[in-house]
Amino acid sequence: MTEPRPLGADIARIAVFAALIIVLGTVIVPLPGGVPITGQTLGVMLAGLVLGARRGPLAILVVLALAAIGLPVLAGGRGGLGVFAGPTAGYMLGWVFGTIVIGLIAYSGRPVWWRTALATAVGGIAVVYLFGIPVQAAVTGVPLDLTALSALVFLPGDLLKAGAATVLVLALRRAYPRAFPARGAAAPASAVS
């Protein structure tokens, strides 16, 4: 069993992932409807996969706290309390719960590729949509079914991000297994097939 990481190391890792999420927010593909495709969801997926269900959401909460005080940390340089009443508010809330689900699935057993991919698809896409679509519908006044249908335009990009997160994390696990939370009976790094 691996010794627990010191608190300072955990805080630093949370800060690094918050910064990564912010930087990935500068990667934007604008679409009609008010919700762009951004790299931030890739950062959310990576936070859940690397930091786990307890620390991953903390990185998201740091980003959201910085946005709340007005810093331009969200996609498109957005920040301030107004973003929490806009069409993307539900997606941001979904990030928090999505990272929890990602971490729970990814760390529910041996670190294998299919569990990693499943975690990103369920937590990083389905959970985020589950929160985001209803809020977007409510804010924009568009019926829920039409909003859900319009969200399908994001699915290919989100699936690509989920695939990229899976590949990146499997490579990181092989190269630097200490980047991941300790497990009681973790499989060796070579067991990620």
Side-chain angles (χ1 to χ4, degrees):
M1 183 178 320
T2 310
E3 287 186 33
R5 198 176 270 112
L7 178 62
D10 279 341
I11 291 171
R13 288 159 39 85
I14 290 164
V16 165
F17 273 88
L20 178 67
I21 292 165
I22 292 167
V23 168
L24 287 172
T26 63
V27 178
I28 302 168
V29 178
L31 293 175
V35 183
I37 293 176
T38 74
Q40 279 188 317
T41 51
L42 174 60
V44 169
M45 292 172 187
L46 292 171
L49 289 171
V50 176
L51 299 178
R54 289 188 334 195
R55 293 170 190 89
L58 295 176
I60 307 303
L61 291 173
V62 167
V63 173
L64 297 181
L66 293 172
I69 62 171
L71 295 178
V73 296
L74 298 174
R78 296 174 306 122
L81 291 175
V83 298
F84 296 98
T88 61
Y91 294 98
M92 292 183 293
L93 180 62
W95 293 351
V96 176
F97 291 99
T99 55
I100 293 169
V101 171
I102 290 168
L104 290 173
I105 293 172
Y107 291 91
S108 66
R110 241 180 58 168
V112 292
W113 72 267
W114 62 263
R115 185 175 287 115
T116 304
L118 179 67
T120 58
V122 173
I125 299 173
V127 171
V128 173
Y129 284 26
L130 184 66
F131 283 87
I133 291 170
V135 172
Q136 182 182 359
V139 170
T140 61
V142 176
L144 185 60
D145 58 342
L146 294 177
T147 303
L149 188 61
S150 71
L152 291 178
V153 72
F154 301 106
L155 193 55
D158 286 337
L159 288 170
L160 286 173
K161 287 182 268 185
T166 299
V167 169
L168 288 170
V169 165
L170 292 176
L172 178 61
R173 186 173 293 284
R174 284 187 189 102
Y176 191 64
R178 290 192 54 197
F180 297 84
R183 296 172 189 262
S190 61
V192 292
S193 56

